[in-house]
Amino acid sequence: MANLKVTLGDLSLKNPIMLASGILDSTPGILKRMAQTDAGALITKSISLKGRPGYPGPTAVEISPGTWINAMGLPNPGLQDFLEEFPLTTLKLPVIPNLVGDTPKDFETLAREVAMAGAKIVELNLSCPHPKANYSGNLTSQDPKAAADVIEATSKHLPVIAKLTPNVTDIGNVAVACAKAGATAISAINTLPALDVDPELERPILGNGFGGLSGAAIRPIGLRKVLEISKALNNEGISIPVIGMGGISDADDVVRYLLCGASMVQVGTCLTSNPEKLATICSGLCDWMNRKGYKKLSDFQGRILDWFE
Ligand code: SIN
């Protein structure tokens, strides 16, 4: 029987498949519902110090089957209200807060507060592709030094996962900077900066105009970026988990990311239409490993890296 257990910071997860930030995780009710799936952990929608109303609608549109464009505008009630509504230790399943701030100081305050509220690890959103001027700082991961500053400010309070944008020339360089600054893990990719247009209405499809592309179409980009991150970390002799995401919709997609060097994955967009899919993806990974005769994830994880020596 395949062993799917993984370690992330101080957490032990029953399997490597997590609910990605931003999907089915914006209210306590939905988080509780998702806790009944087989996820190894749940990641919350980004939480900021002060509440954010979000952008005008439409905020998320499926533009071709399985591929979405969104610009939600990081809507959330703000840290204190979030923690009151949803104590982080409510569920047996690990809940990992995703944090977003405009400055390293914002991120630090958020990290300190959630650590005091019981979080064991946080994911830092350094990569929302469509920040407004007054929501600055969210594309921090386009600048290795800026990303490292946020990691240094936060990782003294608890372990941190740096969530990176694919929209850079050398994502490996950014990942290495984050790791050297103290990141416990790297997650990638956030959505790709995008635009789609309604020809009838002669206007952008989204209320915000620009948005981020997610779902099936971005999987090959995610795989390449995860491979580049894994290779860059290996070249520096750095051994931290890479958490792959982008367009995962079945167990084969999970295997693809693990072969490219990911230790864990996050699943998001494909659950919009069917939350139950998460359980199917977990059991599908187990079935694939049993069929292949693999006992543990490390039996095949990273195997494709050798192709790109
Ligand atoms: C959003 O809330 O607009 C999306 C956040 C993100 O992609 O990081």
Side-chain angles (χ1 to χ4, degrees), residues 77-122:
L79 180 67
Q80 287 317 327
D81 283 1
F82 179 92
L83 292 176
E84 265 169 42
E85 282 175 33
F86 189 77
L88 290 171
T89 47
T90 306
L91 304 173
K92 285 209 184 87
L93 193 66
V95 175
I96 301 176
N98 176 297
L99 307 179
V100 68
D102 289 342
T103 62
K105 186 86 201 125
D106 282 0
F107 275 104
E108 180 182 357
T109 308
L110 286 159
R112 192 184 58 232
E113 296 286 322
V114 295
M116 287 193 310
K120 299 283 179 257
I121 189 166
V122 289

Side-chain angles (χ1 to χ4, degrees), residues 20 23 28 77 99 218 225 228 245 247 251 256:
I23 308 282
L99 307 179
I218 76 165
K225 297 289 177 182
E228 288 176 7
M245 78 190 97
R256 290 182 170 106

Side-chain angles (χ1 to χ4, degrees), residues 53-63 69-73 130 132 194-198 201-212:
Y55 295 154
T59 54
V61 179
E62 188 173 25
I63 56 170
I69 188 167
N70 89 82
M72 317 285 291
H130 39 75
K132 288 264 195 271
L195 167 68
D196 208 357
V197 167
D198 186 323
L201 299 179
E202 302 176 29
R203 51 153 290 167
I205 275 184
L206 294 174
N208 181 56
F210 293 130

Side-chain angles (χ1 to χ4, degrees), residues 7-282:
T7 303
L8 178 59
D10 298 333
L11 291 175
S12 175
L13 310 186
K14 66 182 174 185
N15 70 55
I17 301 170
M18 299 175 229
L19 174 72
S21 175
I23 308 282
L24 303 174
D25 60 3
S26 52
T27 66
I30 298 174
L31 278 163
K32 281 182 192 148
R33 167 73 190 77
M34 291 313 287
Q36 286 159 24
T37 67
D38 270 344
L42 306 179
I43 308 199
T44 70
K45 179 75 184 151
S46 298
I47 308 165
S48 48
L49 279 177
K50 293 204 180 111
R52 291 179 176 180
Y55 295 154
T59 54
V61 179
E62 188 173 25
I63 56 170
S64 66
T67 297
W68 286 68
I69 188 167
N70 89 82
M72 317 285 291
L74 301 161
N76 77 94
L79 180 67
Q80 287 317 327
D81 283 1
F82 179 92
L83 292 176
E84 265 169 42
E85 282 175 33
F86 189 77
L88 290 171
T89 47
T90 306
L91 304 173
K92 285 209 184 87
L93 193 66
V95 175
I96 301 176
N98 176 297
L99 307 179
V100 68
D102 289 342
T103 62
K105 186 86 201 125
D106 282 0
F107 275 104
E108 180 182 357
T109 308
L110 286 159
R112 192 184 58 232
E113 296 286 322
V114 295
M116 287 193 310
K120 299 283 179 257
I121 189 166
V122 289
E123 182 176 64
L124 306 173
N125 186 350
L126 307 174
S127 47
C128 174
H130 39 75
K132 288 264 195 271
N134 58 339
Y135 291 176
S136 63
N138 301 325
L139 265 176
T140 313
S141 62
Q142 283 180 323
D143 175 353
K145 163 86 174 68
D149 286 348
V150 175
I151 307 291
E152 266 165 30
T154 47
S155 58
K156 57 189 167 207
H157 296 293
L158 79 176
V160 303
I161 306 164
K163 182 169 180 177
L164 304 186
T165 176
N167 199 27
V168 286
T169 312
D170 186 351
I171 198 168
N173 189 27
V174 184
V176 167
C178 290
K180 287 187 172 168
T184 292
I186 305 291
S187 59
I189 56 174
N190 204 330
T191 57
L192 283 136
L195 167 68
D196 208 357
V197 167
D198 186 323
E200 197 51 42
L201 299 179
E202 302 176 29
R203 51 153 290 167
I205 275 184
L206 294 174
N208 181 56
F210 293 130
L213 196 68
S214 70
I218 76 165
R219 193 193 72 220
I221 300 169
L223 290 173
R224 178 166 175 160
K225 297 289 177 182
V226 162
L227 184 118
E228 288 176 7
I229 293 168
S230 304
K231 286 191 81 67
L233 293 172
N234 287 353
N235 289 344
E236 292 286 325
I238 298 169
S239 176
I240 60 171
V242 179
I243 305 169
M245 78 190 97
I248 294 177
S249 63
D250 58 23
D252 279 355
D253 292 342
V254 175
V255 170
R256 290 182 170 106
Y257 271 97
L258 297 176
L259 287 169
C260 287
S263 305
M264 294 157 227
V265 297
Q266 293 179 17
V267 182
T269 302
C270 80
L271 303 177
T272 315
S273 52
N274 182 8
E276 305 304 330
K277 224 174 180 176
L278 210 123
T280 316
I281 294 173
C282 293

